Amino acid sequence: MKHPIRTRQTAPFRWESVPLLAYKEDGGTHFKDVTRQVLFEGGDHLGAQLRYFEIAPGGHSTLERHHHIHSVMIVRGGGQVLVGREIHDLAQHDLIYIPPETWHQFRATTPEPLGFLCLVRCERDKPRRPTPADLAELRADAVVGAFLRH
Ligand code: MN
């Protein structure tokens, strides 16, 4: 299918013919109130995909890690992110880099939804969730332990 040159925004953080998708295709209870929109599928000529995720106030993404990296720009609201053992505040237009094999989880901690663009390679490995041993290791740091939702 030929990609349109212009895709109009139809409402704040919604775009013409871009479906609002479930965050993870396989569902699950390890995340809360997250939606996904694929803005650019990427493919052979680019090799990368640009997605827009939105987490409702109080919600969180999956605690996971994987070999591929994420390049993120916050575009709506605020919140916090765990990357490895570091917790960072998120403000509009901040950039977040998530290195390979690094635990990460986003949380929407302000009254506005947390919206962010996330760039990934098209060909990428599946995210892995923590084992009980991984969780115990993460919880050894009390601040990290208090942050985690899973
Ligand atoms: Mn991830």
Side-chain angles (χ1 to χ4, degrees), residues 23-24 51 53 61-66 68-70 98 102-106 118 120 127-128:
Y23 170 52
K24 302 271 182 184
R51 300 93 48 86
F53 291 96
S61 64
T62 307
L63 173 64
E64 62 180 33
R65 67 176 171 181
H66 37 67
H68 63 274
I69 67 166
H70 291 314
I98 298 174
T102 306
W103 294 114
H104 54 284
Q105 183 169 53
F106 287 85
C118 179
V120 286
R128 301 188 314 279

Side-chain angles (χ1 to χ4, degrees), residues 21-28 30-31 34 36 61-62 64 66 127:
L21 303 170
Y23 170 52
K24 302 271 182 184
E25 280 151 17
D26 53 356
H30 45 87
F31 56 86
V34 190
R36 172 172 62 103
S61 64
T62 307
E64 62 180 33
H66 37 67

Side-chain angles (χ1 to χ4, degrees), residues 5 35 40 44 65 75 83 91 101 113 116 127 146-147 149-150:
I5 300 293
T35 60
F40 293 99
D44 294 346
R65 67 176 171 181
V75 294
V83 181
E101 300 298 344
F116 56 93
F147 180 88
R149 301 288 182 273
H150 60 92

Side-chain angles (χ1 to χ4, degrees), residues 11-30:
F13 304 100
R14 292 302 316 276
W15 296 268
E16 201 170 38
S17 357
V18 175
L20 191 66
L21 303 170
Y23 170 52
K24 302 271 182 184
E25 280 151 17
D26 53 356
T29 55
H30 45 87

Side-chain angles (χ1 to χ4, degrees), residues 56 61 88 134:
S61 64
H88 293 271
D134 293 328

